[in-house]
Amino acid sequence: DQQVKQNSPSLSVQEGRISILNCDYTNSMFDYFLWYKKYPAEGPTFLISISSIKDKNEDGRFTVFLNKSAKHLSLHIVPSQPGDSAVYFCAARDYSGNTPLVFGKGTRLSVIA
Amino acid sequence: DSGVTQTPKHLITATGQRVTLRCSPRSGDLSVYWYQQSLDQGLQFLIQYYNGEERAKGNILERFSAQQFPDLHSELNLSSLELGDSALYFCASGVTDTQYFGPGTRLTVL
């Protein structure tokens, strides 16, 4: 049973526009969420995170929004650049911090010049 | 460069065989995490070691085992390999919320 779901396997966006990647979760014990980015032939790299006490966290062009009541989070990239083309994984962990991260299946973002 | 190294990069073997994947964590990191990424699957957590001791276990098959050595490097042993074990295997080090991933080992079972 997938506790973290990324329902869009792929997304294409034009350079300069906004990219919105979505993630849904089912476990109400999750209270910390992360986004990882993965280029081909490399391991995932941490991008941005958000705690459940916040509903938004911003880091440069990247903003993560959390809607706890809907158990939904999204990653916004503005403006999108060709170098953002990668697979983006959403991950979550519960409040204890002692359990492993649970990852979604990823969304492949293609930014077209 | 994450500072996490994994060897080998690629491994091709036959069904029924046994392989060992190796991971060296970032300097100073005590935890090592192993993940499997199969086709169309996300990163599935397998197992975590902390300073030589098993800390958490995920969806790791009984045919798979791991250990962490005194120098903190870790090995993931996969035995009686099946076609379905073909995947990318990643190791990561750090702490739960900030994990640094290695480049992965691509295992192909023929």
Side-chain angles (χ1 to χ4, degrees):
Chain A
D1 179 33
Q2 278 260 302
Q3 296 186 72
V4 177
K5 299 177 187 179
Q6 294 178 257
N7 292 320
S8 298
S10 63
L11 176 68
S12 275
V13 171
Q14 273 202 306
E15 182 179 6
R17 305 297 268 274
I18 184 171
S19 295
I20 300 176
L21 295 93
N22 293 305
C23 178
D24 297 293
Y25 60 97
T26 57
N27 189 339
S28 56
M29 305 290 267
F30 286 153
D31 80 339
Y32 194 79
F33 305 89
L34 307 90
W35 285 92
Y36 277 79
K37 175 177 173 178
K38 184 185 177 305
Y39 291 118
E42 294 182 13
T45 55
F46 170 75
L47 187 58
I48 193 169
S49 62
I50 188 166
S51 163
S52 61
I53 61 172
K54 293 177 145 189
D55 55 16
K56 176 181 170 182
N57 189 25
E58 202 169 342
D59 183 3
R61 296 185 298 113
F62 301 90
T63 303
V64 57
F65 295 92
L66 175 63
N67 182 334
K68 280 181 65 180
S69 60
K71 294 193 177 71
H72 176 84
L73 62 154
S74 60
L75 174 69
H76 293 213
I77 307 173
V78 183
S80 301
Q81 298 174 354
D84 297 328
S85 297
V87 177
Y88 289 80
F89 291 98
C90 171
R93 66 138 173 91
D94 72 19
Y95 65 91
S96 73
N98 293 325
T99 55
L101 293 178
V102 178
F103 283 84
K105 292 187 179 184
T107 296
R108 182 179 300 279
L109 173 66
S110 300
V111 180
I112 304 157
Chain B
D1 184 359
S2 67
V4 178
T5 59
Q6 288 187 249
T7 56
K9 283 195 169 162
H10 302 277
L11 201 47
I12 301 174
T13 187
T15 54
Q17 295 298 303
R18 182 179 191 274
V19 297
T20 297
L21 313 183
R22 183 188 167 104
C23 168
S24 292
R26 289 188 328 151
S27 177
D29 285 349
L30 300 179
S31 269
V32 169
Y33 307 79
W34 285 99
Y35 293 87
Q36 179 193 58
Q37 185 186 11
S38 304
L39 199 63
D40 294 332
Q41 293 293 318
L43 290 157
Q44 301 285 322
F45 170 72
L46 295 177
I47 197 163
Q48 177 200 355
Y49 274 81
Y50 178 83
N51 203 21
E53 301 286 327
E54 183 184 303
R55 173 64 67 91
K57 215 166 187 175
N59 299 321
I60 187 166
L61 299 171
E62 282 192 18
R63 301 183 284 110
F64 296 1
S65 65
Q67 53 186 324
Q68 187 179 28
F69 295 87
D71 67 352
L72 301 177
H73 91 270
S74 177
E75 292 180 356
L76 179 67
N77 301 295
L78 315 176
S79 61
S80 303
L81 284 167
E82 302 174 0
L83 296 176
D85 297 328
S86 295
L88 264 170
Y89 291 84
F90 289 102
C91 123
S93 74
V95 294
T96 299
D97 293 347
T98 312
Q99 295 183 29
Y100 298 88
F101 283 79
T105 292
R106 182 173 291 281
L107 173 66
T108 303
V109 182
L110 300 174

